[in-house]
Amino acid sequence: MAKTLIIGGGGFMGGHLARALAQEGEQIDIADNFSRAVRDPFLEEIEATKGVSLIDADILDEATVSLLGDDYAIIYQFAAIIGVRHVMERPYEVLHKNVLIQAKAIEFAKQQKALERFIFSSTSEIYAGSLKYMDMPIPTPEHVPIALTELDHPRTSYMLSKIYGEAMCHQSDLPFTIVRPHNVYGPRMGMVHVLPELIMKARTLPQGARFEVVSVDHRRAFCFIDDAVEILRSLASNPKATGGIFNLGNQEQEMSIGEVAHIILEATGRSDLQMVPLPETPGSPARRCPDMTQTIDLIGCRPMLGLKEGIQRTCKWYTDNVFLGGGVSAI
């Protein structure tokens, strides 16, 4: 049986991917340094599955990398410093470490005896400069020219680290596939993203309080995590995806942040709260939506879950596991 390694597998996307693979009976090693992720019940349940190993391993540490094997057929590379808050507070570390992580992951992948695919998780942030300086189409296809935002802006550090990571894949001689996730959301996505932050506000604010929301007119195309995982798995198993770059998202679920906030208020039963718009987040694109044509044409499936149902599921998970159940990691 082909063996899979998920680097950064303790995080949001990696964890959900691991669960889906484990449910299919695949042999998986989940590697994470647990600097942000935690061994919560979600991961413990996956670890208890036959054929799954959860390994405390830092890809930057040669000693812990030795805990991993050389017989992986598929490697997913999710490890990175992510999240707008982290990027804004420590941009140099984001730029420096993300490139180092990618270099070590590629070096490790080259040591495998029979690697079939190296899947690198890039970002929709790749398109930020093109949106700002060029006549970029929206929904956005993968082939648009890439422009950089200002190098002195902290947010550019994350974008640039991922551009560099994509270039490294192209020059690596590995059988790679690059995915560019667009606003993937769902249970266990941590607390430093727009949806869980709004859910937390809705759950904790007193009666009749101000429900403050930034960038209310900015539009995003949201993709539920289960749909994103299905796309990832389909790309990994399709030989025609080798050497390609693919948007990962749901172009049918584009909505303003203000509209999303209203759905969250409805899902949490907080009609008493008064939504108050706040200024835009500096450097945040006004609109982001992937053109999924290339991905869907290749794999033959498309995201299915509607945004309202996805937000309801996400709100329920956070209610059960955070507000009623004792905390969640800052993934």
Side-chain angles (χ1 to χ4, degrees), residues 208-253:
R210 288 162 52 98
F211 185 66
E212 297 179 341
V213 183
V214 300
S215 306
V216 292
D217 294 324
H218 284 193
R219 300 183 65 83
R220 297 290 184 266
F222 292 89
C223 180
F224 192 66
I225 183 63
D226 291 356
D227 285 335
V229 164
E230 182 60 29
I231 293 171
L232 271 171
R233 294 178 61 192
S234 298
L235 289 171
S237 63
N238 192 320
K240 292 182 179 179
T242 304
I245 302 172
F246 298 90
N247 284 333
L248 175 60
N250 186 347
Q251 73 181 82
E252 305 302 325
Q253 297 294 327

Side-chain angles (χ1 to χ4, degrees), residues 84 87-88 125 153-159 281-285 288:
V84 173
V87 172
M88 298 300 288
E125 196 77 11
H153 194 286
R155 196 170 176 131
T156 302
S157 64
Y158 179 67
M159 167 199 189
T281 302
S284 177
R288 180 179 287 150

Side-chain angles (χ1 to χ4, degrees), residues 118-158:
F118 179 85
I119 297 96
F120 173 53
S121 180
S122 183
T123 177
S124 59
E125 196 77 11
I126 288 281
Y127 302 116
S130 302
L131 177 62
K132 183 173 183 178
Y133 296 116
M134 305 169 69
D135 186 19
M136 189 183 82
I138 301 177
T140 305
E142 297 87 344
H143 59 74
V144 298
I146 298 299
L148 293 178
T149 48
E150 293 84 352
L151 296 183
D152 61 352
H153 194 286
R155 196 170 176 131
T156 302
S157 64
Y158 179 67

Side-chain angles (χ1 to χ4, degrees), residues 133-196:
Y133 296 116
M134 305 169 69
D135 186 19
M136 189 183 82
I138 301 177
T140 305
E142 297 87 344
H143 59 74
V144 298
I146 298 299
L148 293 178
T149 48
E150 293 84 352
L151 296 183
D152 61 352
H153 194 286
R155 196 170 176 131
T156 302
S157 64
Y158 179 67
M159 167 199 189
L160 194 54
S161 75
K162 290 296 188 176
I163 291 175
Y164 200 96
E166 289 194 13
M168 293 171 77
C169 286
H170 284 284
Q171 306 304 327
S172 68
D173 294 325
L174 291 175
F176 70 87
T177 298
I178 295 167
V179 294
R180 293 173 176 169
H182 283 66
N183 290 91
V184 178
Y185 75 99
R188 197 180 172 268
M189 67 184 300
M191 300 304 298
V192 292
H193 303 274
V194 60
L195 285 177

Side-chain angles (χ1 to χ4, degrees), residues 36-95:
R36 295 177 63 212
V38 296
R39 290 175 178 263
D40 57 0
F42 182 92
L43 284 183
E44 290 172 354
E45 181 180 346
I46 298 170
E47 186 180 17
T49 307
K50 183 179 179 181
V52 176
S53 295
L54 187 59
I55 303 169
D56 191 341
D58 189 334
I59 197 69
L60 297 179
D61 184 349
E62 297 289 348
T64 57
V65 169
S66 66
L67 299 172
L68 306 175
D70 60 1
D71 57 345
Y72 298 110
I74 299 176
I75 296 177
Y76 291 89
Q77 201 319 62
F78 292 105
I81 302 175
I82 64 173
V84 173
R85 192 172 294 171
H86 298 290
V87 172
M88 298 300 288
E89 291 175 355
R90 42 195 181 123
Y92 180 82
E93 185 180 0
V94 168
L95 182 58

